[in-house]
Amino acid sequence: MKRFARLALLLPCLIAAYLGLAAAWAGYTYDSLAAALPPPHPGTLSPRQSAILLAVEDPDFYTHAGVSFAAGQGVTTLSSAVARDFYLVEGQSGSVMRRFYAGVQRCCKAIDLGRDAMALVLDARMPKDRQLDYYAGHVYMGTQAGVQVRGLALAALLYAGKPLAALDEHEFVRLVAMIKAPNQYHPQRQPAALAERVARIEALLAGRCRPTGWSDTLYETCKSSQGNV
């Protein structure tokens, strides 16, 4: 019993130390990583496309500080998704902290609070519009011909056969619907699953239903008893 009591006391200390280390590393490396980024691409998303993306993926984006418990939010905000890619993809491969954090991601990414600590730091340093631009250009959109698809612009070309700016609203919603699980909702390999999620998102956008809580990213109330919206 004493051993379990000591572990119960030690665990919060280890978690706090890890979060502090992640936040300190994020703050220390931010300037050098940000300086290496290519210039932003304003206008990548139209105002309507931005509104659709945020309504589905991060409804509280412009008001939260990097983490959020808004209805329908789920475990990842745009800021935390950007933080993950910014510090892992853009980071130096030889960084000891980067390798350590990558190991944590492989082990426990579903419950990794380090990503949220870094999201708080990143959100305080990177303007919201820059975060949105980065997300649109880096978000994982499944695989095509064995190659990872990154970014909404490339996804539009590969999956819809036209530039992002030329998509109509339904076509753009199809891309947004993929983001939750891009291979599970792949337009070519899982068209029925994608069609159902698209219908739920369109019902959500039309105001016919809403998420029932923080973790409801499937929009259960948007599904009828027959399984259709």
Side-chain angles (χ1 to χ4, degrees), residues 111-178:
I111 56 172
D112 176 32
L113 298 177
R115 176 192 59 199
D116 299 317
M118 292 192 298
L120 292 171
V121 174
L122 180 132
D123 193 75
R125 305 285 293 276
M126 183 181 286
K128 290 287 191 180
D129 288 344
R130 184 68 165 112
Q131 292 180 45
L132 183 57
D133 176 78
Y134 186 101
Y135 183 85
H138 289 76
V139 62
Y140 175 61
M141 296 297 292
T143 59
Q144 185 76 341
V147 178
Q148 280 195 5
V149 179
R150 288 278 179 178
L152 294 173
L154 180 57
L157 291 174
L158 292 178
Y159 299 136
K162 60 178 72 172
L164 185 60
L167 299 184
D168 62 30
E169 184 163 314
H170 177 75
E171 290 168 331
F172 184 73
V173 169
R174 281 171 57 85
L175 292 187
V176 173
M178 292 178 62

Side-chain angles (χ1 to χ4, degrees), residues 70-99:
Q73 176 60 66
V75 297
T76 306
T77 63
L78 261 68
S79 299
S80 60
V82 169
R84 176 195 60 217
D85 289 346
F86 180 72
Y87 289 108
L88 287 180
V89 177
E90 306 292 349
Q92 295 296 320
S93 61
S95 165
V96 173
M97 182 61 190
R98 181 183 181 275
R99 292 199 301 270

